[in-house]
Amino acid sequence: MDLAGRSTPPGSARANGGIKIREEFKLVVQKKTVEQVAQKASICIKNRENVPTAPLWHLGKAQVFGVTESFDLVQSTIDYLACKAKINSSFTEDEKEFLVNIYEAFWWGGKYLGFSEAALLANHYVHGGGHEVILNPFVYPYSVIVQDAIVALKKYISNRQNTNKFFAIAKTSDVEFQRSKFADPLRSQNRHKPTQGNIVTNDGTLKAEEINVRLKYTDNRFYLMATTSYQRNLFFTRWSVSSLYDFVDYADEQDDKNITEIPLNGRKLRLPDGLSNHMEKIGIAKKFWYRVEWHEHWRVG
């Protein structure tokens, strides 16, 4: 169609010229895309380090003896592999083995540092085949944000029972709970997040207090659910948390906003979530659900 709104005959010079322009444009775009990929690949190669065969040994040296060279070797290898994952470059068997060994090292390191739940989950990611894990609930009930959420949910449940509303299942993600006055003490503006954590607005996830490192590495954000029955002025509640062990995909985020940081003798090993997600794509890890539950009898008052 021309500027006056008239149809352009398919065989006209103008139509053929348009096709030629589109084809040339496609070639330019394709060439530019190939050049961009090649440029990214060259950056990965430039930053490449020899893949160490024993990352646990190097991480142990970094943790126990503060050996900078060992720490830097592991970190630079992670950075190189993250670069490859971003451009979807193929991984060698040695590189795959390195990533599996990293998660195995997290198991040993987590046990050594007292993060037993996080250690179990890390090892299960590469060896669990996607099967569900039942965790010891110890790490959750003693959390400040969990304790405060339990108080808030009890008041919410009691109020619904008194007003003949459904109360058998209540979650921090329930819209009615989030909008209620009972959730107010959990909101970020009313809390000191480093020591108390908070509920995430419009989401309902509970964010672990930063000082609770054991819970933070196990499950930084989670929903709390209460399944409750009532008889003879007594409530019986099964508290539970169910979370998916997975990571942000590089297809959704390429700027590495989500990083898992592992403390090592005053430094932090940085493992991008996108790289951890990529491990599933190359067949060396599998996401899975994990849950905990504990029970309580309680009365109002």
Side-chain angles (χ1 to χ4, degrees), residues 241-291:
V241 174
S242 183
S243 298
L244 181 65
Y245 194 89
D246 66 345
F247 300 91
V248 176
D249 194 331
Y250 271 140
D252 302 319
E253 178 188 287
Q254 286 246 335
D255 56 2
D256 287 332
K257 286 183 180 178
N258 291 283
I259 298 282
T260 298
E261 294 185 333
I262 311 299
L264 287 172
N265 200 346
R267 301 181 68 180
K268 291 182 178 179
L269 189 75
R270 294 168 56 84
L271 179 65
D273 282 13
L275 178 57
S276 293
N277 174 278
H278 196 74
M279 290 172 64
E280 188 169 14
K281 292 183 178 180
I282 59 178
I284 57 175
K286 198 167 184 63
K287 62 187 175 184
F288 60 92
W289 286 92
Y290 59 101
R291 63 186 176 89

Side-chain angles (χ1 to χ4, degrees), residues 14-179:
R14 182 181 298 169
N16 291 336
I19 293 172
K20 184 177 181 181
I21 290 172
R22 285 195 297 273
E23 289 176 345
E24 290 177 349
F25 176 75
K26 287 180 181 178
L27 289 174
V28 170
V29 171
Q30 291 172 356
K31 182 179 179 182
K32 186 176 181 181
T33 302
V34 170
E35 289 175 348
Q36 288 173 339
V37 171
Q39 184 178 14
K40 289 181 179 179
S42 67
I43 293 174
C44 293
I45 294 171
K46 181 180 178 181
N47 293 334
R48 179 172 184 172
E49 293 281 353
N50 293 325
V51 177
T53 56
L56 174 60
W57 184 69
H58 287 288
L59 292 176
K61 288 173 64 178
Q63 171 62 28
V64 178
F65 303 110
V67 178
T68 301
E69 293 79 5
S70 290
F71 179 95
D72 291 342
L73 176 60
V74 174
Q75 184 64 73
S76 61
T77 304
I78 289 173
D79 295 342
Y80 160 65
L81 295 178
C83 184
K84 289 189 70 174
K86 286 181 180 180
I87 62 173
N88 204 28
S89 179
S90 61
F91 279 55
T92 67
E93 292 304 312
D94 285 346
E95 291 166 348
K96 292 179 182 179
E97 183 179 358
F98 170 84
L99 290 172
V100 171
N101 288 343
I102 281 290
Y103 268 80
E104 291 173 342
F106 290 166
W107 183 84
W108 286 103
K111 298 285 283 187
Y112 174 79
L113 295 171
F115 308 145
S116 57
E117 295 83 8
L120 186 154
L121 295 176
N123 190 65
H124 195 77
Y125 187 51
V126 292
H127 293 303
H131 298 294
E132 184 184 50
V133 170
I134 308 299
L135 287 179
N136 185 316
F138 176 85
V139 71
Y140 288 89
Y142 294 97
S143 158
V144 175
I145 184 60
V146 172
Q147 290 179 349
D148 291 348
I150 286 175
V151 171
L153 281 170
K154 283 181 176 179
K155 292 179 180 179
Y156 175 72
I157 291 167
S158 175
N159 177 265
R160 293 183 71 82
Q161 189 273 330
N162 286 332
T163 55
N164 295 317
K165 294 180 180 179
F166 181 76
F167 66 88
I169 299 176
K171 296 176 286 188
T172 53
S173 58
D174 290 346
V175 174
E176 287 191 40
F177 171 71
Q178 292 182 58
R179 292 175 177 173

